[in-house]
Amino acid sequence: MTDLSAFPITQKWPARHPDLLQLYSLPTPNGVKVSIALEETGLPYEPHLVRFDANDQLSPAFLSLNPNNKIPAILDPHGPDGQPLALFESGAILVYLASKTGQLLPTDTARRFEALQWLMFQMGGVGPIFGQLGFFHKFAGKDYEDKRPRDRYVAESRRLLKVLDQHLAGREWLVGDEYGIADIATFPWVNNLIGFYGAGELVGYADFKHVDRVLQAFLARPAVQRGLKIPARD
């Protein structure tokens, strides 16, 4: 049996199955990227809920794995060269899981980099911008009298949706007909924008038919349906 006792995070979240990949997460758009990828690949794993309401992400145990105090993070007991690997940042984890399993990322070099460019598009644009819109529309920012910050993120969110919509015209997924980590990274955020954030009307989501077509195909996948609920909230 693998010994993970050298990793302080296992003191707060004990590994019942230390031979399995350990996932530390919460079912947010960033968190479910990894649970969905794990469900899609079939790689066995053990999920652990990181509770923001209890400030788990600020605990010394979690910071020992991710000093940036963000979810998700993983601890793979069977990393490169058979050594345990601790990893944070959802994009990096997606690339790692795809490389480890040989799934969800094209093997052709040109298409592989095409997939990575759309992954970076999500990491640098879709996630941060949609998240800021959520703050100004749903959370504390909604009480600000000055609506210019909100409107700035509305306009940028709409621009990003237009980029996606134009690209998806005539394509099944972001990289042609090949579903992969770029889709897994992007569509939880689109789903969150119109669902949890309730910003669909605000951004004119009805204008983006191709985005919605692909979102519905994404949500229909059994692995996505499972992954959206992992780790289960108490």
Side-chain angles (χ1 to χ4, degrees):
M1 181 176 293
T2 304
D3 182 7
L4 298 178
S5 61
F7 295 89
I9 196 164
T10 62
Q11 297 173 16
K12 184 173 178 64
W13 289 278
R16 292 170 296 172
H17 307 285
D19 284 329
L20 301 185
L21 185 147
Q22 305 292 307
L23 169 66
Y24 308 91
S25 191
L26 187 69
T28 66
N30 278 336
V32 299
K33 294 176 190 177
V34 176
S35 53
I36 289 170
L38 286 164
E39 290 293 320
E40 291 280 10
T41 61
L43 190 65
Y45 68 103
E46 180 178 348
H48 302 277
L49 182 68
V50 180
R51 298 183 61 99
F52 284 5
D53 57 354
N55 287 324
D56 281 349
Q57 75 277 18
L58 301 177
S59 66
F62 189 78
L63 291 172
S64 71
L65 191 64
N66 183 0
N68 196 35
N69 64 270
K70 304 291 184 183
I71 58 95
I74 65 168
L75 175 56
D76 184 0
H78 306 293
D81 300 319
Q83 298 301 309
L85 174 70
L87 202 60
F88 65 90
E89 282 296 330
S90 59
I93 296 171
L94 288 178
V95 173
Y96 173 70
L97 294 177
S99 299
K100 181 181 177 73
T101 62
Q103 301 179 55
L104 302 175
L105 195 59
T107 55
D108 175 78
T109 302
R111 290 176 67 80
R112 182 182 183 90
F113 280 104
E114 183 182 352
L116 291 175
Q117 79 176 354
W118 286 105
L119 174 63
M120 300 307 164
F121 175 81
Q122 184 281 309
M123 298 293 296
V126 169
I129 296 300
F130 287 12
Q132 290 297 325
L133 177 54
F135 172 80
F136 284 104
H137 180 60
K138 183 179 177 69
F139 297 111
K142 70 180 185 298
D143 298 324
Y144 295 178
E145 291 184 12
D146 187 349
K147 297 304 179 186
R148 286 175 295 179
R150 184 205 67 179
D151 291 347
R152 178 184 187 278
Y153 290 112
V154 168
E156 182 63 3
S157 294
R158 184 172 172 82
R159 188 190 70 80
L160 293 169
L161 286 167
K162 184 178 180 180
V163 171
L164 287 170
D165 201 65
Q166 291 176 339
H167 177 73
L168 288 168
R171 290 182 172 88
E172 186 175 358
W173 301 104
L174 283 168
V175 186
D177 61 354
E178 192 166 353
Y179 172 80
I181 59 174
D183 307 291
I184 292 171
T186 302
F187 287 99
W189 275 104
V190 176
N191 188 49
N192 205 64
L193 179 72
I194 63 174
F196 183 66
Y197 289 163
E201 184 175 351
L202 192 63
V203 299
Y205 182 73
D207 294 337
F208 306 107
K209 303 298 185 183
H210 298 297
V211 172
D212 190 61
R213 167 180 55 82
V214 180
L215 173 64
Q216 298 311 316
F218 178 74
L219 294 175
R221 297 179 68 89
V224 171
Q225 295 171 12
R226 295 191 300 269
L228 286 171
K229 302 174 183 177
I230 298 172
R233 296 178 185 268
D234 294 343

